Amino acid sequence: ALTDRQREILQVVSRGRRMALREIIADLSNPPAAATVRDDLYHLKRLGLIDSTGRGRGAFWFLVPGGQE
């Protein structure tokens, strides 16, 4: 099961474009530390719900087509 924050991250990323970590954090209603968001993003990626391209500061996150919870 996903946490409320992970569900919110999915909603933010599902807006249809590739997003940088800082953009995702800016769109969260009550953003935690960047490391926490990054951990959540990697968890969602392991579940096959989102994916990323690039590395480090150049990484962008996006929803996997058909990858709904």
Side-chain angles (χ1 to χ4, degrees):
L2 299 180
T3 65
D4 289 343
R5 186 179 61 244
Q6 290 166 347
R7 277 193 248 288
E8 186 182 10
I9 290 170
L10 266 183
Q11 286 180 325
V12 168
V13 174
S14 73
R15 294 183 185 148
R17 59 187 177 85
R18 294 171 184 229
M19 299 183 75
L21 176 64
R22 61 183 159 70
E23 294 175 304
I24 295 168
I25 292 169
D27 281 1
L28 293 175
S29 58
N30 187 18
T36 303
V37 176
R38 191 177 303 113
D39 288 346
D40 283 340
L41 287 167
Y42 283 116
H43 178 71
L44 294 168
K45 184 175 181 174
R46 283 191 298 275
L47 294 176
L49 300 173
I50 62 173
D51 204 353
S52 62
T53 181
R55 297 176 64 96
R57 290 185 182 267
F60 289 92
W61 297 87
F62 55 93
L63 198 66
V64 171
Q68 297 295 330
E69 180 194 5

